[in-house]
Structures are given as C-alpha cells and as structure tokens.
Amino acid sequence: MSTGGGGSDRRGVRAKVEAQRAAARRAERRRRVLLAAGAVVIVGGIVAVIVVNFPSSSSSSGLGPEGIALQSGQQLASVSSAASGQTVDGISCDASEQVAYHIHSHLAVYVNGQQRSVPYGIGVVEPVPQTVSGSTFVSASQCYYWLHTHAQDGIIHVESPTQKQYTLGQFFDIWKQPLSTGQVGPAGGHVTAYVNGKVFNGDPRTITLQPHEDIQLDVGTPVVPPQSVDWSHSQL
C-alpha cells in the first residue's frame, strides 16, 4: 500500500532539477559577463586578470560589462516606479531568466541633443548589483521580466519562454514610463525615431525588438543623427 511518499520524493527531485537548471543559467550569464569584461591568463602558476577597455565614439565612459559602450548623461527616468512583479502586457516576472527566445536590442535616447541614459534594473525586480570592470551589472533576487536591462548600456534583453514578437512600447510599460510621438518618459516634445539608422514613421510604441537592432529616440531639437552601436566586442 502506497503512503504517498513516492510522489513527494518525485516532486522534491523535480524541484532540485529545476534549481540546478536555474543555477546553470545564472552561471552561463556570469561566464558571458566575465568574458566581456576581461580574460584570465595563467602563466607559470600565476593568475592574472586582464581587463581591456576599448574606446568608443558613442560614450566617453568606455565599454560596460556587456561589451557595449556605457551611456552618459543623467538617467531618462529611474526604476523606482517600474513594475515590481505583476504581469504587464501579458509579460510575467519569473524567478529565473527564460532562454527559449533570447535576443538583444539597443535603445538610445537624446533630449534636446543631450543623451539620457537608460538605467540598469528595468524589469529586474529587487536587483542585486555586482561590480564588473568598474561598472555595474545587476541580477534579480526576486524575478525577471522577459524584457529587462542588466547594465547602463542601453541593451534591452528579450528572454522569453516562447518565440514571439515584443515591442518597445511593452518595454516602456514595464518601466512604467510613457512613450508616444510626443513623449519619451518624462521628456516631452516632437519625437524623431530611428531604427537601424533609418527614420521610423509612426508610433514608436510599435517598434519591434529585433536581434542587434539599433533604436534611437530624439526628443525635441536639435535632432542627433543616428548613432550606430558597435556589437563586435560583445558576447551578446
């Protein structure tokens, strides 16, 4: 006669397997970050960490922990009022990152010709900061939305349990900031949008997030010519 203990044991095993898989995904994330930040060289039993910073025309701050230039200027808006766990536009916040569909887009914002940075921690609930190569990279202690940022480099991570199309509007909804043809976060004025260097005519909320896509939003005047992103040093 069964006592029910076997079912409990199987549930315990499944929980451990899921925990191991989550740990493996976190380890892979840390591996990519460390590869982007520098290289470990072992010579004659001595371990040396080499961190290489490459110059970038788009930012005087150099490369961030993801191998993409850090954004200068004050933050467009903080993450203090961003979504904190509730489902947004059908996008949930999960305890571990989803990797069935995993791409990266880049967002740059200029207000009256001055760059405003996209902060780290959007879509990362209860972020835990780590210092990597002199800059900050955050992981979640509670949950990750399928659209989120790890560093102040403008990279939007799309990490979804299924392959589907996501938009810039959904990202701003998770950030809880407005986005329209006349508003980007707290900045109001005519919005000129570029996607991969070409003018985007229409509601910027409808811009779809694509692999290695360069999205630029210019609010007001002067309008900054589209700036390209150097992905060559990134492991993304």
Side-chain angles (χ1 to χ4, degrees), residues 141-157:
S141 61
Q142 183 172 327
C143 62
Y144 296 91
Y145 283 93
W146 302 340
L147 311 180
H148 56 261
T149 61
H150 283 287
Q152 193 167 296
D153 53 13
I155 295 296
I156 301 173
H157 290 247

Side-chain angles (χ1 to χ4, degrees), residues 72-149:
S72 59
Q74 69 182 79
Q75 291 181 355
L76 176 66
S78 75
V79 300
S80 60
S81 62
S84 58
Q86 66 275 25
T87 298
V88 177
D89 298 344
I91 299 171
S92 66
C93 196
D94 299 327
S96 61
E97 294 175 296
Q98 306 299 306
V99 294
Y101 181 56
H102 189 181
I103 65 169
H104 306 89
S105 302
H106 183 273
L107 173 63
V109 179
Y110 295 87
V111 177
N112 296 324
Q114 299 298 312
Q115 188 176 57
R116 297 289 182 87
S117 60
V118 178
Y120 55 74
I122 301 169
V124 178
V125 179
E126 299 296 334
V128 178
Q130 307 169 53
T131 300
V132 179
S133 189
S135 55
T136 302
F137 181 95
V138 296
S139 301
S141 61
Q142 183 172 327
C143 62
Y144 296 91
Y145 283 93
W146 302 340
L147 311 180
H148 56 261
T149 61

